[in-house]
Amino acid sequence: MNAMKKAAAAIFSAALCGLWMPTVCFANVTDEDGNTIETVTSGDFEYSVMVDSEESGGKAACVEKYTGTDTDVVIPDTMDGMPVVAIGDTAFAGNYTIKNVTLPKDLMGIGTHAFAECTAMENFYVADGSEIFSSRDGVLYAHGGTWLVRYPITKIPAVLEIPEGVVLIGDNAVSYSRVLRKVTFPKTLTTIAVAAFADDVSLEEIEFPPTVTEIPNFCCYHCAMLKSVKMHNDITSIGDGAFAMTMLETVEIPVKCKSIGQAAFASTKMSEVTIPSSVEDIGYCAFGYQTDSTNELYADDTFVIYGEKGSAASSYANDIENGNHFEFVAKGEPSTSPEDNEPDEDTTETVPANDDGDGLDIGAAPAETEAEMTTTAQTTTTKTAVKLPTKTKGMLAGVIGGGAAVLIGIVAAIVAVLKKSKKPSDGNTDES
């Protein structure tokens, strides 16, 4: 958000010089890095002051928080004489009252999660004169309709057809729907941003178009009814938590995929996966991990991974340091399991996994909230007791950091599922 603020502030001309800085009530708001932002209260809004780095007298306002209770909100064009040019990362996030919002004409940037989880939102409007944003049937677009910024949650249909001309689907753009079952994409689409369809709990299927080559972080996180995902072969990466906490039973990893993020397929119904040799990097708990009734991650030792000897798949399956000890099947090559390094007569090598427990199926029934999901989860297995190394904790911290910048609702889920380490065998918790 700081970069966006600087970029926005930099375009102001010297004509803004001389605007005064009000000396009224200040409050504490933090940015995405946890730094405190000084804010000024103006009516039902709290805003921060943005200063042009080249023209020290040039000032503008960034809305950081809305504190009112109105269902129809008009963000003013100016606050205390300063033009409103930005809306902060979480300014309206989690507001369940607002139905209609009108954005100011000079607005140049909207924070990633500014309107996340606004479950009552019906329409986005834009004041006349805006050169960047526009509204079409209450849906918010930018740059001549090429960027789908936000779809009002209450207007998301069961079957959504993204219109032709859209090149980018923004962060959280179509998240938190309770009715969306299927989405189709335009031929013009090239980019899907973070958590674009996260927490769409009725979404059953998604097929990514050949024009999209990267699946973003948390793309379909907690889409509790998602059973079918189709990815074309030119997809090169699958982001952190992209399909975590879904009903997926099988998935075909694209043959050109190079990286799979942390927790990408954690807490699904998958019992096995074939990972092509093109994959060079697999993040922590990407496959074979479930959560118990307390939302703690544990490895499902019955999970089977198919791949090539010496590949990232082989390394991941037997990454003992990070708690992985999955059955690895290498066709035509000797097993790389620590327990079985000798080749068999057969051309297909199978390495038996430990029988300490089996997978917990938390996706058997969709849950509207994480609390309900926790209630419905039943633990019938013995979890693998592994002391989580410091290295892995650092990796987890990276995922948590990414997750914390997704949605207000997703934050709670990511923290609950990913922040807790597996229970150490000695009963102690390594806090290092």
Short mmCIF file of all heavy atoms in Angstrom, two decimals, residues 400-425:
data_model
loop_
_atom_site.label_atom_id
_atom_site.label_comp_id
_atom_site.label_asym_id
_atom_site.label_seq_id
_atom_site.Cartn_x
_atom_site.Cartn_y
_atom_site.Cartn_z
N ILE A 400 1.93 -17.58 6.33
CA ILE A 400 1.03 -16.81 7.17
C ILE A 400 1.07 -15.35 6.78
O ILE A 400 0.05 -14.67 6.70
CB ILE A 400 1.41 -16.97 8.65
CG1 ILE A 400 1.26 -18.43 9.07
CG2 ILE A 400 0.53 -16.10 9.54
CD1 ILE A 400 1.90 -18.77 10.37
N GLY A 401 2.26 -14.85 6.52
CA GLY A 401 2.39 -13.45 6.12
C GLY A 401 1.61 -13.18 4.85
O GLY A 401 0.93 -12.17 4.71
N GLY A 402 1.69 -14.12 3.89
CA GLY A 402 0.94 -13.94 2.65
C GLY A 402 -0.55 -14.05 2.91
O GLY A 402 -1.34 -13.28 2.37
N GLY A 403 -0.93 -15.03 3.75
CA GLY A 403 -2.35 -15.22 4.02
C GLY A 403 -2.97 -14.05 4.73
O GLY A 403 -4.11 -13.69 4.49
N ALA A 404 -2.19 -13.42 5.59
CA ALA A 404 -2.72 -12.30 6.36
C ALA A 404 -3.04 -11.11 5.49
O ALA A 404 -3.70 -10.18 5.93
CB ALA A 404 -1.73 -11.89 7.44
N ALA A 405 -2.60 -11.15 4.25
CA ALA A 405 -2.88 -10.05 3.35
C ALA A 405 -3.92 -10.42 2.32
O ALA A 405 -3.98 -9.86 1.25
CB ALA A 405 -1.59 -9.61 2.66
N VAL A 406 -4.75 -11.38 2.64
CA VAL A 406 -5.73 -11.83 1.66
C VAL A 406 -7.10 -11.23 1.91
O VAL A 406 -7.56 -10.39 1.17
CB VAL A 406 -5.82 -13.37 1.66
CG1 VAL A 406 -6.81 -13.82 0.61
CG2 VAL A 406 -4.47 -13.96 1.34
N LEU A 407 -7.78 -11.68 2.94
CA LEU A 407 -9.11 -11.18 3.29
C LEU A 407 -9.23 -11.15 4.79
O LEU A 407 -8.51 -11.86 5.49
CB LEU A 407 -10.21 -12.14 2.77
CG LEU A 407 -10.38 -12.42 1.31
CD1 LEU A 407 -11.46 -13.46 1.15
CD2 LEU A 407 -10.78 -11.18 0.56
N ILE A 408 -10.17 -10.39 5.29
CA ILE A 408 -10.40 -10.41 6.73
C ILE A 408 -10.83 -11.81 7.15
O ILE A 408 -10.34 -12.37 8.11
CB ILE A 408 -11.48 -9.39 7.12
CG1 ILE A 408 -10.96 -7.97 6.83
CG2 ILE A 408 -11.84 -9.51 8.59
CD1 ILE A 408 -9.70 -7.62 7.55
N GLY A 409 -11.78 -12.39 6.42
CA GLY A 409 -12.25 -13.73 6.77
C GLY A 409 -11.20 -14.78 6.54
O GLY A 409 -11.03 -15.70 7.33
N ILE A 410 -10.46 -14.69 5.43
CA ILE A 410 -9.45 -15.68 5.11
C ILE A 410 -8.30 -15.61 6.11
O ILE A 410 -7.68 -16.61 6.43
CB ILE A 410 -8.94 -15.48 3.67
CG1 ILE A 410 -10.04 -15.91 2.70
CG2 ILE A 410 -7.69 -16.27 3.41
CD1 ILE A 410 -9.63 -15.84 1.27
N VAL A 411 -8.02 -14.43 6.60
CA VAL A 411 -6.95 -14.29 7.57
C VAL A 411 -7.18 -15.23 8.75
O VAL A 411 -6.29 -15.95 9.17
CB VAL A 411 -6.86 -12.84 8.09
CG1 VAL A 411 -5.97 -12.76 9.31
CG2 VAL A 411 -6.32 -11.94 7.00
N ALA A 412 -8.39 -15.22 9.29
CA ALA A 412 -8.70 -16.06 10.44
C ALA A 412 -8.48 -17.52 10.11
O ALA A 412 -7.95 -18.29 10.92
CB ALA A 412 -10.14 -15.83 10.88
N ALA A 413 -8.88 -17.92 8.92
CA ALA A 413 -8.74 -19.32 8.53
C ALA A 413 -7.28 -19.70 8.33
O ALA A 413 -6.84 -20.76 8.78
CB ALA A 413 -9.53 -19.56 7.25
N ILE A 414 -6.53 -18.84 7.65
CA ILE A 414 -5.13 -19.13 7.41
C ILE A 414 -4.36 -19.23 8.72
O ILE A 414 -3.56 -20.12 8.92
CB ILE A 414 -4.51 -18.04 6.52
CG1 ILE A 414 -5.10 -18.12 5.11
CG2 ILE A 414 -3.00 -18.18 6.45
CD1 ILE A 414 -4.81 -19.41 4.41
N VAL A 415 -4.62 -18.30 9.61
CA VAL A 415 -3.94 -18.34 10.90
C VAL A 415 -4.30 -19.61 11.65
O VAL A 415 -3.44 -20.28 12.21
CB VAL A 415 -4.30 -17.10 11.75
CG1 VAL A 415 -3.78 -17.25 13.17
CG2 VAL A 415 -3.70 -15.86 11.10
N ALA A 416 -5.59 -19.98 11.62
CA ALA A 416 -6.04 -21.16 12.35
C ALA A 416 -5.43 -22.43 11.79
O ALA A 416 -5.05 -23.32 12.52
CB ALA A 416 -7.57 -21.26 12.29
N VAL A 417 -5.32 -22.49 10.46
CA VAL A 417 -4.86 -23.72 9.83
C VAL A 417 -3.36 -23.79 9.71
O VAL A 417 -2.76 -24.83 9.91
CB VAL A 417 -5.49 -23.87 8.43
CG1 VAL A 417 -4.94 -25.08 7.71
CG2 VAL A 417 -7.00 -24.00 8.56
N LEU A 418 -2.71 -22.68 9.40
CA LEU A 418 -1.29 -22.71 9.09
C LEU A 418 -0.38 -22.24 10.22
O LEU A 418 0.79 -22.59 10.25
CB LEU A 418 -1.01 -21.86 7.85
CG LEU A 418 -1.69 -22.35 6.58
CD1 LEU A 418 -1.33 -21.44 5.42
CD2 LEU A 418 -1.27 -23.76 6.26
N LYS A 419 -0.89 -21.46 11.14
CA LYS A 419 -0.01 -20.90 12.15
C LYS A 419 0.41 -21.95 13.17
O LYS A 419 1.49 -21.91 13.72
CB LYS A 419 -0.71 -19.74 12.86
CG LYS A 419 0.24 -18.91 13.72
CD LYS A 419 -0.48 -17.68 14.24
CE LYS A 419 0.49 -16.82 15.04
NZ LYS A 419 -0.15 -15.62 15.55
N LYS A 420 -0.48 -22.91 13.41
CA LYS A 420 -0.16 -23.95 14.40
C LYS A 420 0.74 -25.02 13.80
O LYS A 420 0.48 -25.52 12.73
CB LYS A 420 -1.45 -24.59 14.90
CG LYS A 420 -2.35 -23.61 15.65
CD LYS A 420 -3.59 -24.32 16.16
CE LYS A 420 -4.48 -23.37 16.91
NZ LYS A 420 -5.69 -24.05 17.41
N SER A 421 1.77 -25.38 14.49
CA SER A 421 2.65 -26.44 14.02
C SER A 421 2.11 -27.78 14.47
O SER A 421 1.21 -27.86 15.30
CB SER A 421 4.06 -26.24 14.59
OG SER A 421 4.02 -26.36 15.99
N LYS A 422 2.69 -28.84 13.89
CA LYS A 422 2.29 -30.17 14.33
C LYS A 422 2.79 -30.41 15.75
O LYS A 422 3.79 -29.87 16.18
CB LYS A 422 2.87 -31.20 13.38
CG LYS A 422 2.19 -31.20 12.04
CD LYS A 422 2.89 -32.10 11.08
CE LYS A 422 4.27 -31.58 10.80
NZ LYS A 422 4.86 -32.09 9.61
N LYS A 423 2.05 -31.25 16.49
CA LYS A 423 2.40 -31.50 17.89
C LYS A 423 3.70 -32.27 17.99
O LYS A 423 3.85 -33.33 17.39
CB LYS A 423 1.28 -32.29 18.55
CG LYS A 423 -0.04 -31.52 18.60
CD LYS A 423 -1.15 -32.36 19.19
CE LYS A 423 -2.45 -31.58 19.21
NZ LYS A 423 -3.57 -32.39 19.73
N PRO A 424 4.66 -31.77 18.74
CA PRO A 424 5.93 -32.49 18.89
C PRO A 424 5.76 -33.75 19.72
O PRO A 424 4.91 -33.83 20.59
CB PRO A 424 6.83 -31.46 19.61
CG PRO A 424 5.86 -30.58 20.34
CD PRO A 424 4.63 -30.51 19.47
N SER A 425 6.60 -34.72 19.45
CA SER A 425 6.48 -36.01 20.12
C SER A 425 6.78 -35.94 21.61
O SER A 425 6.28 -36.74 22.38
CB SER A 425 7.42 -37.02 19.46
OG SER A 425 8.75 -36.52 19.48
#
